[in-house]
Amino acid sequence: MNLFLPSDPRPLHFIGIGGAGMGALALIAQSRGIQVTGSDADISGCGDLVRAGALVFEGSAPEKAGVARAVVVSAAVPSGHPDIDAAMARRVPVVPRKVALAELVSSGRCVGIAGTHGKTTTTVMTTEAVAAAGLPVTGIAGGRVASWGGNARIAGTERDLFVVEADEYDQAFLTLQPEVAVITNVEADHLECYGSLEALEQAFVTFAGRARRALVGNDSPGAERIATALPDSRVWRFGQGGVDIGLDRIEQHAAGSSATVTLPDRSAVSLELQVPGVHNLRNATAALGVVAALGAEPRRALSALSAFAGVGRRFERLGEIGGIALVDDYAHHPTEIRATLLAARQAYPNRRMVAVFQPHLYSRTAELGEEMGRALSQADLAVVTDVYAAREKPIEGVTGQRVADATRDAGGAVVYEPNRAGLARRVRELVRPGDLLLTLGAGDVTRLARELFPEIDTDRSSR
C-alpha cells in the first residue's frame, strides 16, 4: 500500500506523534488530504498538527489505531503499546517510521543529510538553499522551523526533490536511496544499535555509497574514514582547508559569522550568517555544496542562508527576562556541548555563562559521561541534573554525578542537582541579572525556562 496517497478514506495513525520526525510525516500526510490521527505521552508540541486538522490524543488512542489504514510507529515507542496492540488485533499494518519515510520519498529525488552532529540545522539550511536556487523542494527536519510552521517545508508534488534528515539511530538512514548524501561528521554514538564504532562507520559507508555524489565534512577522523572508503570520483570534502568546498577567512562577532567559500569549480563566494558558531559555517558550506551537486547555482542560495534564523532547540534564543538571556539547545554529545558553548561565547561575549545540562540516555552517559563533563567545564558555572532515561532502563552506577565530577576534575565550577523536580529552584538561586542561562540536553530540560519564568513564550509549536 502507499501510505501517502489519499485514495483510502481511512485515517493514518501515528504513535509518538509528538516527536519531531513523526510530526513532519504527519504534516505531509495531512497536506495531501489524508486524515491524520495520533497519540503521544506528551502532545505539548503538536500545535502545528492540530492547526492543520490532525486529531491528537494524549496517552494512547487504541480506538483510532484500530480503524486506521495503517499505523506509523516511532522507534522510541515500546512494544506492548495499546495502540500497537489494537492495530495488530484488527490486522491494521504497523509500519516503522523509517519505512514510512522511505516510502514517502521514493517517488521523487532524495538528498539525505546524515552525521553525528548538525543534521537538523544542515537539513533546514540545505532545504532553504535549494529552494532559493529555484528547485521545488520538500524538506523534512528533526526540529521546528518557524517560517515552515512545523518541521516540514511542503512544496511541489510527491515527485519533486526531498531534502531529509537521515538519522543513523536504529539504522533508519539505511532505508533511504539518496541521490546526494551529506555526512557532516562521524563520532561514536548510538553504539547500542551497532555494537561497535566500526559497524557504525560501515553503515555510513553503505548510506553514502548509494549516492551519485557524497559530501563529507573534513573535521572528524570518522568522517575521513568514510570518505576514504568511497570512490574518490564521487566524494566532495567540505570544511576548512584545501578541500573541494573550502571554508576560510572566517570572521566571528556577536551578530553572526562570515567566511569565504570556495566552490567545486574553484570560484569563491562570500557567506554571511546571523547564527553563531564555526559549526554553522560548516553546515552552510555543505548546503552550498548540495546546490552545486544538484546542478543549480550556489550564488542564488547565499541570501537564503544569510536570512536563516535557526531551528527550534538549536541555539534557540528564548528572550531575556530580569536581565537574564535565555538560550535552549539540544546538545547532548560532548562535541555538541563544546560547539554550543563556543557559539554562546561568540553571541554573548560579556555575560557569565550558566549552563544547565541534563545527560540523555544511560548508555551514552556510561560511554561519554566524563567527556561531557570536560566539555561543560568551559562554562562559567555548570549545573548538572540526573540522566534523562528516554527509552532506556537505568544502568547501575551511571548517574549525572559522573558528569559533574568530570566537570570539577577539569577545573570547572559545577553544581549537581540530581532531583529534576528541584532543578528550577536550584537554578533560580544561582543565576543573576547579566547572566546567560543556557539549557542543554535532549530531554525535558527544555522546559526549564518556562518553569523559571512562566511568562516567557516557549511554545515551539506556535512560533
Side-chain angles (χ1 to χ4, degrees), residues 17-338:
I17 196 168
M22 295 289 280
L25 298 188
L27 280 171
I28 292 172
Q30 193 76 23
S31 75
R32 295 185 178 181
I34 299 168
Q35 177 60 63
V36 166
T37 62
S39 64
D40 205 315
D42 181 3
I43 60 173
S44 60
C46 292
D48 296 313
L49 284 165
V50 172
R51 284 185 287 275
L55 301 177
V56 177
F57 300 88
E58 189 166 17
S60 60
E63 70 284 359
K64 298 297 182 183
V67 298
R69 62 165 72 185
V71 167
V72 181
V73 59
S74 163
V77 174
S79 59
H81 189 285
D83 292 14
I84 296 177
D85 290 347
M88 295 181 68
R90 301 289 292 272
R91 297 186 178 180
V92 173
V94 177
V95 181
R97 188 260 178 189
K98 62 183 180 182
V99 175
L101 172 63
E103 181 177 310
L104 171 66
V105 305
S106 64
S107 59
R109 304 161 65 197
C110 176
V111 174
I113 311 294
T116 308
H117 323 294
K119 291 186 292 291
T120 298
T121 299
T122 306
T123 298
V124 178
M125 283 184 169
T126 301
T127 302
E128 294 293 307
V130 168
L135 300 179
V137 60
T138 290
I140 300 173
R144 185 177 192 276
V145 184
S147 61
W148 294 4
N151 51 357
R153 182 192 188 276
I154 304 169
T157 71
E158 66 272 11
R159 299 196 179 278
D160 283 333
L161 179 68
F162 293 88
V163 175
V164 302
E165 182 170 338
D167 192 358
E168 74 275 19
Y169 175 68
D170 193 35
Q171 303 184 18
F173 64 169
L174 295 184
T175 64
L176 300 174
Q177 300 289 333
E179 175 182 331
V180 177
V182 175
I183 298 178
T184 56
N185 41 61
V186 178
E187 291 190 81
D189 200 13
H190 298 307
L191 296 187
E192 76 279 11
C193 299
Y194 292 93
S196 68
L197 178 60
E198 292 75 17
L200 170 68
E201 291 181 357
Q202 183 55 52
F204 275 97
V205 172
T206 301
F207 165 76
R210 296 169 177 170
R212 171 181 58 80
R213 175 68 66 191
L215 284 74
V216 183
N218 72 338
D219 68 329
S220 71
E224 180 56 33
R225 287 191 289 271
I226 308 306
T228 302
L230 298 170
D232 286 342
S233 61
R234 287 158 54 189
V235 175
W236 283 347
R237 289 171 173 82
F238 66 89
Q240 293 173 261
V243 291
D244 301 285
I245 312 169
L247 183 65
D248 58 19
R249 298 179 186 173
I250 294 172
E251 295 184 8
Q252 296 178 272
H253 44 82
S257 306
S258 64
T260 298
V261 177
T262 303
L263 298 170
D265 65 4
R266 310 324 299 162
S267 64
V269 297
S270 296
L271 172 66
E272 295 188 2
L273 298 179
Q274 60 178 287
V275 290
V278 174
H279 63 291
N280 277 321
L281 288 170
R282 286 195 293 265
N283 295 339
T285 300
L288 290 171
V290 170
V291 173
L294 293 172
E297 174 50 67
R299 289 168 181 79
R300 296 180 62 186
L302 293 170
S303 60
L305 291 172
S306 67
F308 175 75
V311 184
R313 296 230 58 212
R314 276 68 178 179
F315 208 83
E316 185 175 7
R317 304 182 198 227
L318 303 177
E320 182 170 330
I321 294 182
I324 300 169
L326 305 169
V327 173
D328 183 44
D329 196 276
Y330 194 68
H332 53 279
H333 185 282
T335 298
E336 295 165 353
I337 296 167
R338 282 190 290 270

Side-chain angles (χ1 to χ4, degrees), residues 376 380-384 403-409 411-416 430:
L376 283 171
D380 296 303
L381 174 64
V383 182
V384 179
V403 179
D405 288 347
T407 302
R408 186 174 294 107
D409 291 344
V414 63
V415 172
Y416 181 50
L430 295 169

